[in-house]
Amino acid sequence: MSRHQSVNSQTQQDHSYRMALNQYLQYWRRQDDLYWGEAQHGARERTLWTVTCYLANVAYGTGHASTKGQAKERAAQQTLAMLNYQQSAAWNMGCSTTWVAADTRSHTYQGY
């Protein structure tokens, strides 16, 4: 495998959690609830990015990395893990899940 193919493959992997999160939000028609908080720390040569994924003003996942893209990917991964946990808990309680946002809006989604 060439270096170009390896880098291209890594780039595709880097976007897989963000893509999965976007697909999840589109399925539930909640893509407008997504917000990314971004902060850059440290000297230019040793920058550390912190990215937090907010859904309806609630922090779900936070990622730290040397690039903004990697930090965002890690935040998306944590967010998906939390959403999967919430969904599986909801299924165990009767196939519905309620999302109460920080701005007091409440959304209820029925399982499949």
Side-chain angles (χ1 to χ4, degrees):
M1 178 166 37
S2 73
R3 183 180 189 288
H4 177 68
Q5 288 172 325
S6 176
V7 170
N8 194 23
S9 175
Q10 182 62 40
T11 301
Q12 289 173 353
Q13 289 174 355
D14 286 346
H15 298 292
S16 62
Y17 290 109
R18 283 184 274 176
M19 188 180 309
L21 178 59
N22 282 327
Q23 289 171 347
Y24 178 91
L25 294 174
Q26 286 173 3
Y27 177 83
W28 292 110
R29 301 186 198 288
R30 300 204 37 221
Q31 57 269 34
D32 291 338
D33 291 340
L34 176 64
Y35 170 76
W36 298 99
E38 302 167 352
Q40 186 178 10
H41 312 280
R44 188 174 194 174
E45 302 80 30
R46 293 188 175 181
T47 299
L48 177 66
W49 284 90
T50 300
V51 176
T52 302
C53 180
Y54 293 92
L55 298 175
N57 297 321
V58 176
Y60 267 71
T62 299
H64 307 280
S66 60
T67 68
K68 184 168 50 170
Q70 289 172 338
K72 191 179 268 192
E73 184 67 14
R74 290 175 183 168
Q77 182 179 13
Q78 285 185 6
T79 300
L80 283 169
M82 179 64 74
L83 291 170
N84 286 332
Y85 174 79
Q86 287 179 342
Q87 189 168 5
S88 67
W91 275 95
N92 291 333
M93 296 178 359
C95 296
S96 70
T97 181
T98 301
W99 179 308
V100 180
D103 63 357
T104 68
R105 291 181 295 152
S106 179
H107 307 282
T108 302
Y109 303 108
Q110 297 299 320
Y112 298 109

